[in-house]
Structures are given as C-alpha cells and as structure tokens.
Amino acid sequence: MKIKGISKETLELILNASRAQHPKEFLCLLTAERGIIDDILLLPGTLSSQRSATLRLEMLPLGMGVVGSAHSHPSPNNRPSKEDLRMFSRLGRCHIIICYPYGETDWACYDRSGKPRRLEVL
Ligand SMILES: [Zn+2]
C-alpha cells in the first residue's frame, strides 16, 4: 500500500496526545485505509518510556493496516535517535516524530531508513 497522506484529524489527535503526555513521550502505531493514515493504535503499557515501548512494539506482527508509528520528543528536536531508527526499520514505512512544543509544524515524517519523506495532510 502506497501512503498518500495523513488525515488532518489524525495528525491533530497525535499532536494533542503528545501535548497531554509532555514531558513524557507519546508513542502509537499508525493505521491506514486506502493509502491514507486515518487512525492510531495505542498499545497498553507503551506510555511510560520510549525505550520499553520500543521493545513492546518490536514484538508486534505487522498487520491490521499498521503502516508505521508516531512518537513525540519532549525536546525541540524531531530527528530520529538510534533507537528510533531501529524501530523504524521494523515497523512499516511511515514514521512521524513530533517535537516540543507540539505545534502544527513541529513534526516530521521519515521512511523506514530514517530519511525524511513527504507526508501530505489531507
Ligand atoms: Zn524518538
């Protein structure tokens, strides 16, 4: 499935959840229908810290329309860390990182190798 974009509502949901979770990191999976990311999938126990969340995510089989992940950085830096890149390579092809202060433009999307990719807001 080619990912064309993300729905505005879903992006807002992720931004709001990231704000609410600050200064902790927020993490979720992204699901898509007809090439558009239109929902998130929360996993129990993934909100405490990114490190443990990453491990849990890696045990998940892909399916259920999961196309990638989204997580927040409580700092003004939305570049992927080494752990992020490891997670990206295993979890689909579309990964959003939202950074503090979680505004409309405080996010970036990366492919599974950590290269920035375009993601249209629809
Ligand atoms: Zn990260």
Side-chain angles (χ1 to χ4, degrees):
M1 186 179 12
K2 193 167 157 25
I3 304 302
K4 287 176 268 187
I6 183 169
S7 77
K8 197 170 188 305
E9 292 79 33
T10 306
L11 181 62
E12 271 165 15
L13 185 66
I14 295 167
L15 290 170
N16 283 334
S18 299
R19 269 179 222 125
Q21 194 64 18
H22 185 81
K24 288 187 189 163
E25 296 188 4
F26 172 73
L27 172 69
C28 67
L29 296 178
L30 301 172
T31 63
E33 224 177 295
R34 290 185 210 93
I36 295 168
I37 295 166
D38 66 351
D39 208 354
I40 66 171
L41 200 60
L42 289 174
L43 299 168
T46 50
L47 294 180
S48 48
S49 82
Q50 195 203 347
R51 203 165 291 258
S52 58
T54 304
L55 289 174
R56 282 165 198 271
L57 283 173
E58 283 172 1
M59 294 190 291
L60 248 201
L62 282 183
M64 297 174 61
V66 172
V67 295
S69 69
H71 75 278
S72 67
H73 284 174
S75 66
N77 168 17
N78 59 17
R79 297 291 309 165
S81 67
K82 264 199 193 120
E83 281 95 19
D84 290 344
L85 291 174
R86 225 161 58 82
M87 176 175 76
F88 289 1
S89 68
R90 296 176 187 205
L91 267 178
R93 62 179 88 162
C94 199
H95 301 278
I96 295 176
I97 300 181
I98 311 102
C99 67
Y100 182 83
Y102 318 113
E104 298 271 309
T105 56
D106 297 320
W107 61 279
C109 188
Y110 301 94
D111 68 13
R112 64 193 320 149
S113 65
K115 281 201 212 83
R117 59 162 285 172
R118 229 176 92 77
L119 187 67
E120 234 181 300
V121 181
L122 302 162

